[in-house]
Amino acid sequence: MVAGASTPGPYPRVQLVLLLLCTGVVFWAAHVYSALVGELLPRRPLTWSAVRRLCAHEWPIAQAAVAPAAAVGISPLLGLGLAGTAWLALGVAVAQQAVWAGAGGIRAGASRRVVVSVGAVNLALGLVLVAAKVAIQH
């Protein structure tokens, strides 16, 4: 999201923060909907309790937008221009992706080797986005 965002307008940082947070909520809603339709409905009648549990289970998808949005929010304190702000947010998002992948491996009880591998693969995928951003800008 950050890699391709352009933020023209009078308040580009505010626009980017809102874009990040709204995108996180939309992705969360899409995951909830697809799980409802694809997993819950075919197996059993839908209850509000099941919907609430699913919403809570998928909430980390929306939360993933908070750290990059916070990076955008603090970027003026770091003296960053708009380009630097976008790079900071992208770096935070990529680092977060690798860390959470590793944390997921740890929580699943994976070996250290698997945890490191999962983190490295997710870091590599994030760096593909960085490479795409560089290629698009040149």
Side-chain angles (χ1 to χ4, degrees), residues 17-111:
V17 166
L18 291 174
L19 187 61
L20 287 165
L21 295 175
C22 289
T23 301
V25 170
V26 168
F27 274 95
W28 166 76
H31 275 255
V32 168
Y33 176 75
S34 66
L36 284 173
V37 173
E39 295 174 22
L40 289 183
L41 283 178
R43 293 188 187 149
R44 60 181 179 257
L46 201 53
T47 64
W48 281 112
S49 176
V51 172
R52 282 192 303 275
R53 275 194 309 276
L54 179 60
C55 287
H57 181 263
E58 298 293 339
W59 188 242
I61 293 170
Q63 288 175 314
V66 172
V72 172
I74 67 164
S75 67
L77 300 174
L78 302 173
L80 297 175
L82 295 178
T85 295
W87 280 108
L88 175 64
L90 182 58
V92 167
V94 169
Q96 177 178 246
Q97 177 179 327
V99 168
W100 281 114
I106 291 168
R107 186 172 181 192
S111 69

